[in-house]
C-alpha cells in the first residue's frame, strides 16, 4: 500500500486507552487532511473489509462503509440476522471464519463489553479488529470524530471547558471521551440525572447541574438516553427529562457565542435537545456525522499501514 508520510500505524483499534496522545492527534490531523483532500492514497493489492454489526446502527455502520469504499477497499456483506450466529456460532468463530477467508479488517459492534479481547489475543485470527462499539464499554471511532470536530473548531483541547450531559453510565461515547479529553488538557464536567452518574467518573471531572455550567462551557456534549440498556429503571417522561436535563431554547441562549453543541446521535428530539436546535448555528451534530467518514478513513489507513 502506498501512503504519504505521517500516517499512524496500528494493528487494531479497540480502545482509546491504547492510543498515545501523539497517535490521537495524528489520526485527527489525518482525518482533517482527508477532509481537505490533501492525502494521496493508493492500494498495492486488493484489501477486504467486513462490517459485523450485532447491534443496530446507522451512522457508524454506514460511515465505515463509505470510508472503506472511498479508500478502495472491497466490502464484504454481513448480516447478523442471516449469518451462522443464528445456528449458535460464537463471535470468535465468526471472526475466525472471516480471517480464514482472507478478510483484512473486521469492524465489529457487539453488546458484550470487551468482546474484542479474545479476538486480538488469538494466535490464529489474523484479521485486524476495529471496535465499532462494545456494550457500555468503548466507542473509539465516535470518540475520534468528536475530537476531530472539537479540534477543527478550536485548534486545541488545552483548558477547554467541556460538559458531558445525559445518560453517562450507559454511554460508551462518554467513557471514551472523558478519558482522552482529560489527557489532552480539557476540563471535564458531567451533568444529568444523578442515578445515571457513577463516582468512578470523579477522576475525570466534576458532576454539576446543567444550569450551573451551561453559560461557561466551550463544548456541550449531549448524550442519547439509552432506553435499551436501562431495563426499565430510571425512566423519565420526555417532558420531564427535557425540562430538567435537556438543552432547551432558554439554556441555548445562555451558551457563550463561541460555544458548540455536540451529540453522537441518534437524537431523541425534544428530549436531550429541543427539536429546533438540532441544526441551530451553534450545533455541530451534522458536522460530526460528516467528520465521521474522514476520521474513519484515517483509522482504516492506519490499520492498513500496520499490515505492511
Amino acid at each position: 500500500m502506498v501512503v504519504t508520510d505521517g500516517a499512524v500505524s496500528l494493528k487494531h483499534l479497540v480502545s482509546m486507552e491504547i492510543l498515545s496522545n501523539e497517535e490521537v492527534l495524528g489520526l485527527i490531523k489525518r482525518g482533517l487532511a482527508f477532509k481537505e483532500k490533501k492525502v494521496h492514497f493508493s492500494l498495492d493489492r486488493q484489501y477486504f473489509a467486513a462490517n459485523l454489526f450485532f447491534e443496530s446502527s446507522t451512522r457508524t455502520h454506514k460511515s465505515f462503509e463509505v470510508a472503506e469504499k472511498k479508500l478502495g477497499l472491497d466490502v464484504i456483506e454481513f448480516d447478523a440476522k442471516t449469518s451462522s450466529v443464528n445456528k449458535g456460532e460464537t463471535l470468535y468463530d465468526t471472526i475466525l471464519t472471516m480471517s480464514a477467508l482472507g478478510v483484512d479488517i473486521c469492524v465489529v459492534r457487539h453488546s458484550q463489553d470487551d468482546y474484542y479481547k479474545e479476538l486480538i489475543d488469538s494466535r490464529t485470527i489474523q484479521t485486524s479488529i476495529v471496535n465499532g462499539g462494545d456494550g457500555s464499554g468503548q466507542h473509539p471511532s465516535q470518540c475520534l470524530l468528536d475530537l476531530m470536530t472539537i479540534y477543527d473548531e478550536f485548534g486545541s483541547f488545552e483548558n477547554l471547558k467541556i460538559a458531558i450531559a445525559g445518560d453517562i453510565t450507559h454511554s460508551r461515547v462518554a467513557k471514551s471521551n472523558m478519558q482522552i479529553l482529560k489527557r489532552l488538557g480539557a476540563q471535564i464536567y458531567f451533568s444529568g440525572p444523578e442515578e445515571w452518574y457513577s463516582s468512578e467518573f470523579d477522576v475525570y471531572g466534576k458532576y454539576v447541574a446543567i444550569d450551573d455550567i451551561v453559560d461557561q462551557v466551550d463544548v456541550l456534549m449531549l448524550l442519547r438516553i439509552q432506553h435499551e440498556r436501562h431495563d426499565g429503571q430510571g425512566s423519565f417522561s420526555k417532558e420531564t427529562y427535557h425540562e430538567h436535563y435537556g438543552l432547551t431554547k432558554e439554556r441555548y441562549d445562555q451558551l457563550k457565542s463561541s460555544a458548540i453543541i455536540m451529540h453522537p446521535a441518534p437524537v431523541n428530539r425534544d428530549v436531550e435537545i429541543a427539536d429546533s436546535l438540532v441544526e441551530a448555528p451553534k450545533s455541530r451534530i451534522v458536522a460530526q456525522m460528516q467528520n465521521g467518514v474522514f476520521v474513519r478513513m484515517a483509522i482504516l489507513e492506519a490499520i492498513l499501514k500496520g499490515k505492511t
Side-chain angles (χ1 to χ4, degrees), residues 96-111:
L96 183 65
T97 298
M98 290 292 175
S99 178
L101 294 176
V103 175
D104 298 283
I105 303 172
C106 284
V107 180
V108 183
R109 171 172 288 186
H110 199 276
S111 60

Side-chain angles (χ1 to χ4, degrees), residues 238-256:
K238 178 178 177 179
E239 295 77 17
T240 298
Y241 185 91
H242 187 62
E243 178 185 353
H244 291 286
Y245 309 108
L247 184 63
T248 61
K249 181 65 168 62
E250 292 73 23
R251 291 187 179 112
Y252 178 88
D253 290 339
Q254 293 180 54
L255 289 165
K256 296 192 299 185

Side-chain angles (χ1 to χ4, degrees), residues 52 54 78 83-86 88-101 106 119 125 127:
L52 295 87
F54 298 90
F78 178 86
S83 74
S84 290
V85 170
N86 294 310
E89 183 173 79
T90 64
L91 174 61
Y92 181 92
D93 284 336
T94 299
I95 301 298
L96 183 65
T97 298
M98 290 292 175
S99 178
L101 294 176
C106 284
L119 305 179
I125 292 174
T127 190

Side-chain angles (χ1 to χ4, degrees), residues 16 19-21 23-25 27-29 32 139-157 160 162 176-184 186 188 219 221 260 262 288 291 295:
M16 291 301 294
L19 297 176
S20 66
N21 288 1
E23 288 172 326
V24 170
L25 290 170
L27 288 166
I28 292 170
K29 291 176 181 179
L32 288 168
H139 197 344
S141 67
Q142 178 69 46
C143 179
L144 285 164
L145 75 87
D146 290 346
L147 294 174
M148 177 178 163
T149 304
I150 295 169
Y151 188 86
D152 197 23
E153 190 79 25
F154 298 101
S156 174
F157 300 98
L160 287 180
I162 300 176
S176 295
N177 283 346
M178 67 177 73
Q179 295 171 3
I180 190 63
L181 283 168
K182 181 175 175 62
R183 270 172 47 194
L184 292 170
I188 308 300
V219 180
M221 189 177 293
I260 62 171
M262 299 175 66
Q288 286 175 267
N291 289 339
V295 85

Side-chain angles (χ1 to χ4, degrees), residues 54-206:
F54 298 90
E55 288 189 319
S56 299
S57 172
T58 301
R59 273 150 292 277
T60 303
H61 191 170
K62 295 307 174 184
S63 180
F64 266 113
E65 189 172 333
V66 172
E68 289 153 359
K69 291 184 176 181
K70 279 180 173 286
L71 292 175
L73 279 67
D74 287 304
V75 182
I76 305 302
E77 294 296 325
F78 178 86
D79 184 351
K81 295 178 182 177
T82 58
S83 74
S84 290
V85 170
N86 294 310
K87 299 178 181 179
E89 183 173 79
T90 64
L91 174 61
Y92 181 92
D93 284 336
T94 299
I95 301 298
L96 183 65
T97 298
M98 290 292 175
S99 178
L101 294 176
V103 175
D104 298 283
I105 303 172
C106 284
V107 180
V108 183
R109 171 172 288 186
H110 199 276
S111 60
Q112 178 186 335
D113 288 5
D114 301 331
Y115 72 79
Y116 47 80
K117 287 186 175 178
E118 66 172 345
L119 305 179
I120 64 176
D121 289 341
S122 170
R123 295 181 180 179
T124 309
I125 292 174
Q126 297 300 308
T127 190
S128 292
I129 303 299
V130 176
N131 182 10
D134 62 297
S136 295
Q138 292 260 346
H139 197 344
S141 67
Q142 178 69 46
C143 179
L144 285 164
L145 75 87
D146 290 346
L147 294 174
M148 177 178 163
T149 304
I150 295 169
Y151 188 86
D152 197 23
E153 190 79 25
F154 298 101
S156 174
F157 300 98
E158 194 71 31
N159 295 322
L160 287 180
K161 291 186 175 181
I162 300 176
I164 303 175
D167 192 357
I168 298 168
T169 301
H170 300 93
S171 175
R172 51 198 171 206
V173 174
K175 288 169 185 150
S176 295
N177 283 346
M178 67 177 73
Q179 295 171 3
I180 190 63
L181 283 168
K182 181 175 175 62
R183 270 172 47 194
L184 292 170
Q187 298 178 43
I188 308 300
Y189 299 88
F190 301 107
S191 188
E194 287 189 55
E195 53 264 57
W196 295 348
Y197 181 77
S198 170
S199 59
E200 68 182 287
F201 305 141
D202 289 347
V203 68
Y204 301 109
K206 181 181 179 182

